[in-house]
Amino acid sequence: MSAGFVGVVVSDPSLQGQFTQVELRSLKAKFLSLKRDSGHVTTKNLPGMMKKLRGLNEVVSEEEIAAFLSDSYPDNDQEIEFESFLREYLNLQAKVSAKVGGGGAGGGGGKTSSSFLKSSTTTLLHNLNQAEKSSYVAHINTYLRDDPFLKKYLPIDPAGNQLFDLIRDGVLLCKLINVAVPGTIDERAINKKRVLNPWERNENHTLCLNSAKAIGCTVVNIGTQDLVEGRPHLVLGLISQIIKIQLLADLNLKKTPQLVELFDDSKDIDEVLSLSPEKMLLRWMNHHLKKAGYKKTVNNFSSDVKDGEAYAYLLKALAPEHSPETTLDTKDPDERAKMVLEQAEKLDCKRYLTPKDITEGSANLNLAFVAQIFQHRNGLTSDTKQVTLTQTATRDDVLLSREERAFRMWINSLGVDSYVNSVFEDVRNGWVLLEVLDKVSPGSVNWKLASKPPIKLPFRKLENCNQVVKIGKELKFSLVNLAGNDIVQGNKKLIVALLWQLMRFNILQLLNKLRFHPQGSQGKEITDADILNWANSKVKASGRTSQMESFKDKSLSNGLFFLELLSAVQPRVVNWKVVTKGEADEDKKLNATYIISVARKLGCSVFLLPEDIIEVNQKMILTLTASIMYWSLQKQPQSQSEMPEQSEPSSLTSDAASDIASEDGASTTAPSESEEVNSLSDGMSNLTTDDATSNAPSTENGNGVAGS
């Protein structure tokens, strides 16, 4: 591919990551041909073309496609834009795939994840579930009723469209994210005027989606325009994920060490720590059911709880004072479900569901109900003598934990089929890493040689991990000390070193796709030093004097350089009245929190924490700077002056990269500069996001999609 080649670029990176360039060019050609023939593309003429597409051909009729599209576009004459067509194609593919039980598109096969996040993110449930909507509205009314800004709009009436109208300015979802994971969004970054202009509204949605990604939501198929329009099925899908993250927040050993009593001593502690919140909740429920004499095992929150018996036994075990024998004696499931909810009410559990939701097996609502019972009365021993799991964390452990979180959120943002709950445990069979490699370097994985989970034979896991290492070396990663077996064994430092090179590769690839190629440069790759020089030149050009010497420059700790950089690329985005001097520790934290929210509001999808800025974590500082650079280059038609002078491979690329790698215990000579993201088309979710470009004047709008 020549240096000057430009493929089909979609404004939402995470959407672009779902297609190869070949697919995008083919789809764009078909779309434009239809537009030329018909004048414009609508739900009237699109089904005929979609029926012939891969994954839909001979599986779904034109009538079914038309019915599917009419949920999103009730007006038959409403014009459909190219990116909206791509989203609908993905959603329809997924729906068809789910119906026939096959995997999704793409080379990686269709591993389906049992995680509630993955299963509930299918933003394809176009048939609006009124029961779920009412339940989510009740949750919002309960938790946000005293919010100074929102209280004048609450309570929301669950019957009408008030929820979707209120979503349109972006404030409600930002506040809901902070209820789920306090401190995720700096409220100073939310635009909260009574009447917002289109740019301000778009910035709020960009901040919301990028923050949602950062707390673990999967939002690959949602854009800011969907939220501006208040599209019901997408809005409810996102709210559902946010509420579940809140309700399941304590279902881990760090938050609730007493959960250790659910496991026998033979269990590897890392395996226990890696359980998804949903699986931990099921294990907790079955633990109490067994003690109460219930003979069956509950494996899901739908068919296994429909008859209400499991709930009757659970409440008998946890709250015998509220559980009469008549509940178990009752033969009528409807009557039993009603009695169960009356007992739960006495435990102060808010009603997430009705008796009908139990008997119909509404998975989302039943999961929420059980999570609430856990929150109010978990029935675990309060004796914590045996619980010494996380008492003596060293500084290295804390840093590893933070980096694990950043890599986990990044991987989940890429739109891979697997959902990662614990990086160090979930990568050990090699499959997730192969999925990530396929996203950031399309075509690099030989899927014929890969084994898909569940993998029973240990040597199959080793084969997967050996292929990961082989591809890493082909991509010029420095993996001198890393063998496939280190991944299988869960060597945390070496896994972090590999993941860092993957993430850096992803970022640099993105920048290489966008950069201006001056004549005579022969398409030299962007280096770490170029990113550093670009940031310094942007700040200097804005008339400010701050500079950073390297990505580990301790002066960055006060946050002022990054606020000046953000202001340089978009003057409107920083409110200097709320910025501190960054001298005291508390002031540094305020600035760092504000930087992350402002970057997300702009459109950068970043996964660092305030501590990473305060402590000047070299890796995360590089990703933050590169993300801002990517946003700036993407938004502004590039001139040669926008790109820094091309640096020599310089101290920064080789030295900084090897510095960073050696921190992780891998002798990682600089991962070659081609490193961090192999494709606008396949990796993008990590840096910026969304189709914001389509809905506000280009000079001011934030380009975001997802995730904090």
Side-chain angles (χ1 to χ4, degrees):
M1 185 184 295
S2 68
F5 172 81
V6 177
V8 178
V9 178
V10 178
S11 67
D12 171 359
S14 51
L15 177 60
Q16 178 134 12
Q18 302 302 303
F19 300 95
T20 66
Q21 268 300 318
V22 174
E23 289 170 331
L24 278 175
R25 287 201 296 275
S26 169
L27 289 168
K28 187 78 180 247
K30 289 182 170 74
F31 184 86
L32 291 176
S33 171
L34 182 63
K35 192 166 185 173
R36 274 196 303 274
D37 293 345
S38 309
H40 56 288
V41 178
T42 67
T43 54
K44 285 180 182 172
N45 55 24
L46 191 54
M49 185 262 272
M50 288 185 77
K51 185 182 181 324
K52 299 170 188 168
L53 298 178
R54 183 166 68 96
L56 306 181
N57 190 14
E58 296 181 359
V59 181
V60 63
S61 68
E62 277 188 47
E63 292 71 26
E64 287 173 312
I65 296 173
F68 178 86
L69 292 172
S70 68
D71 287 333
S72 303
Y73 300 93
D75 177 1
N76 281 344
D77 294 318
Q78 182 179 346
E79 184 158 5
I80 298 174
E81 297 299 331
F82 179 60
E83 290 191 24
S84 300
F85 153 65
L86 292 180
R87 289 183 198 285
E88 297 300 341
Y89 176 37
L90 282 176
N91 281 341
L92 190 51
Q93 262 190 330
K95 186 160 189 167
V96 167
S97 170
K99 190 166 79 173
V100 300
K111 176 186 175 213
T112 54
S113 167
S114 63
S115 158
F116 72 85
L117 282 170
K118 198 70 187 180
S119 57
S120 69
T121 63
T122 43
T123 46
L124 359 133
L125 304 174
H126 284 356
N127 298 329
L128 217 52
N129 186 322
Q130 190 56 44
E132 288 194 19
K133 178 184 159 198
S134 298
S135 179
Y136 303 153
V137 165
H139 182 94
I140 290 166
N141 287 339
T142 300
Y143 284 94
L144 289 171
R145 64 185 169 206
D146 297 324
D147 181 85
F149 180 81
L150 290 173
K151 62 185 179 185
K152 57 180 173 286
Y153 304 107
L154 300 181
I156 298 169
D157 176 6
N161 286 323
Q162 189 185 351
L163 171 65
F164 307 116
D165 293 338
L166 198 50
I167 291 294
R168 291 169 192 268
D169 68 4
V171 177
L172 174 63
L173 287 177
C174 286
K175 299 268 190 180
L176 193 60
I177 286 169
N178 272 353
V179 168
V181 183
T184 299
I185 295 176
D186 188 326
E187 293 229 352
R188 296 172 298 174
I190 304 173
N191 298 319
K192 286 184 288 200
K193 297 187 311 200
R194 197 172 64 81
V195 179
L196 298 177
N197 65 39
W199 308 295
E200 293 164 332
R201 192 180 297 128
N202 189 70
E203 285 176 344
N204 281 351
H205 291 312
T206 303
L207 173 60
C208 158
L209 287 171
N210 277 319
S211 300
K213 254 201 317 197
I215 65 170
C217 296
T218 304
V219 291
V220 170
N221 292 347
I222 310 175
T224 54
Q225 189 61 29
D226 299 316
L227 300 181
V228 169
E229 293 171 3
R231 291 176 68 177
H233 58 289
L234 294 172
V235 167
L236 287 185
L238 180 56
I239 291 175
S240 165
Q241 290 187 74
I242 296 168
I243 290 176
K244 281 178 185 167
I245 286 169
Q246 177 189 340
L247 291 175
L248 298 176
D250 295 337
L251 275 145
N252 59 73
L253 288 175
K254 289 180 182 172
K255 292 281 185 71
T256 313
Q258 294 84 356
L259 284 165
V260 77
E261 78 176 72
L262 306 184
F263 303 91
D264 60 45
D265 293 337
S266 66
K267 280 283 186 187
D268 176 9
I269 195 62
D270 281 333
E271 189 183 334
V272 173
L273 287 167
S274 77
L275 270 189
S276 71
E278 181 183 28
K279 285 183 178 165
M280 190 73 88
L281 187 62
L282 281 169
R283 187 177 277 266
W284 167 81
M285 186 176 182
N286 284 314
H287 171 78
H288 286 302
L289 290 176
K290 189 176 178 183
K291 287 205 299 191
Y294 188 61
K295 302 295 185 214
K296 303 175 193 168
T297 299
V298 175
N299 294 308
N300 58 59
F301 293 106
S302 50
S303 57
D304 286 2
V305 295
K306 272 179 160 181
D307 60 10
E309 270 191 40
Y311 288 148
Y313 274 94
L314 182 64
L315 291 168
K316 179 185 166 188
L318 295 173
E321 71 276 21
H322 300 315
S323 304
E325 290 297 326
T326 49
T327 314
L328 287 171
D329 296 338
T330 306
K331 299 293 179 224
D332 178 8
D334 294 311
E335 186 59 32
R336 188 185 296 119
K338 187 177 172 191
M339 293 169 79
V340 160
L341 291 179
E342 285 168 357
Q343 291 160 35
E345 192 76 16
K346 291 172 186 167
L347 277 183
D348 238 9
C349 289
K350 297 174 192 68
R351 288 201 181 190
Y352 276 96
L353 71 180
T354 63
K356 186 181 177 191
D357 297 322
I358 293 178
T359 56
E360 290 187 352
S362 171
N364 280 343
L365 297 184
N366 279 292
L367 181 146
F369 176 59
V370 178
Q372 265 232 306
I373 296 174
F374 174 85
Q375 284 185 343
H376 283 79
R377 189 171 298 194
N378 65 35
L380 299 170
T381 175
S382 54
D383 175 15
T384 53
K385 280 185 299 191
Q386 57 180 325
V387 184
T388 55
L389 295 168
T390 54
Q391 308 296 326
T392 54
T394 64
R395 186 180 179 282
D396 280 351
D397 292 334
V398 171
L399 186 60
L400 265 179
S401 174
R402 281 214 311 264
E403 292 189 343
E404 184 276 338
R405 175 199 163 278
F407 291 131
R408 174 165 30 98
M409 300 307 177
W410 171 65
I411 291 169
N412 287 334
S413 77
L414 292 174
V416 297
D417 285 340
S418 306
Y419 187 88
V420 175
N421 290 293
S422 164
V423 166
F424 298 134
E425 188 61 29
D426 292 353
V427 302
R428 287 173 62 178
N429 64 23
W431 181 262
V432 170
L433 291 173
L434 290 173
E435 288 186 301
V436 172
L437 281 162
D438 193 53
K439 282 288 180 189
V440 303
S441 181
S444 62
V445 177
N446 184 343
W447 291 107
K448 291 177 183 172
L449 301 180
S451 299
K452 182 176 171 183
I455 305 172
K456 297 213 167 54
L457 298 171
F459 76 89
R460 295 287 186 207
K461 297 178 184 178
L462 184 58
E463 284 176 349
N464 281 354
C465 294
N466 284 341
Q467 187 179 175
V468 168
V469 174
K470 176 175 173 282
I471 296 168
K473 288 177 177 174
E474 287 167 359
L475 295 175
K476 304 292 193 291
F477 291 3
S478 176
L479 304 173
V480 178
N481 290 343
L482 181 71
N485 198 45
D486 294 311
I487 301 172
V488 176
Q489 296 298 323
N491 184 317
K492 293 180 180 178
K493 286 198 170 183
L494 294 176
I495 287 169
V496 161
L498 170 65
L499 285 168
W500 161 241
Q501 292 188 74
L502 264 171
M503 188 189 256
R504 181 173 169 274
F505 175 82
N506 197 205
I507 294 169
L508 293 180
Q509 276 295 93
L510 280 174
L511 289 169
N512 283 320
K513 294 268 181 179
L514 284 186
R515 61 177 294 245
F516 177 78
H517 290 280
Q519 279 197 327
S521 78
Q522 281 126 15
K524 283 183 186 171
E525 302 288 345
I526 283 183
T527 65
D528 298 6
D530 293 325
I531 298 169
L532 183 83
N533 293 343
W534 173 85
N536 282 329
S537 64
K538 287 301 281 187
V539 170
K540 186 176 180 182
S542 72
R544 297 184 182 270
T545 55
S546 296
Q547 296 284 282
M548 67 168 159
E549 291 183 10
S550 71
F551 294 117
K552 53 185 178 181
D553 184 340
K554 292 299 178 191
S555 70
L556 298 172
S557 175
N558 64 20
L560 294 177
F561 177 82
F562 286 110
L563 288 164
E564 291 182 356
L565 177 60
L566 286 161
S567 180
V569 299
Q570 176 54 282
R572 228 171 28 82
V573 81
V574 176
N575 176 3
W576 288 100
K577 291 176 185 171
V578 303
V579 173
T580 74
K581 290 182 179 176
E583 290 167 357
D585 287 348
E586 187 53 38
D587 288 346
K588 286 181 180 179
K589 179 142 193 188
L590 284 168
N591 282 355
T593 307
Y594 188 54
I595 287 164
I596 292 168
S597 287
V598 168
R600 287 174 181 153
K601 173 179 177 177
L602 198 62
C604 304
S605 180
V606 291
F607 301 99
L608 73 172
L609 291 169
E611 291 79 5
D612 293 315
I613 296 174
I614 297 164
E615 296 171 16
V616 194
N617 177 329
Q618 189 175 356
K619 298 175 196 158
M620 297 303 152
I621 294 291
L622 171 59
T623 59
L624 174 63
T625 313
S627 185
I628 297 168
M629 178 178 178
Y630 178 79
W631 183 86
S632 177
L633 296 184
Q634 189 190 44
K635 300 306 291 180
Q636 297 155 18
Q638 275 166 243
S639 63
Q640 190 162 341
S641 62
E642 174 72 5
M643 277 301 297
E645 288 295 313
Q646 196 81 29
S647 323
E648 291 305 311
S650 127
S651 60
L652 215 106
T653 322
S654 41
D655 297 349
S658 56
D659 274 356
I660 290 172
S662 60
E663 283 175 16
D664 286 326
S667 76
T668 337
T669 53
S672 87
E673 294 90 49
S674 65
E675 283 198 75
E676 246 232 327
V677 136
N678 191 336
S679 83
L680 238 185
S681 92
D682 274 86
M684 273 189 163
S685 180
N686 27 334
L687 283 178
T688 68
T689 33
D690 202 342
D691 56 355
T693 29
S694 62
N695 59 312
S698 59
T699 52
E700 309 237 68
N701 98 39
N703 148 307
V705 181
S708 157

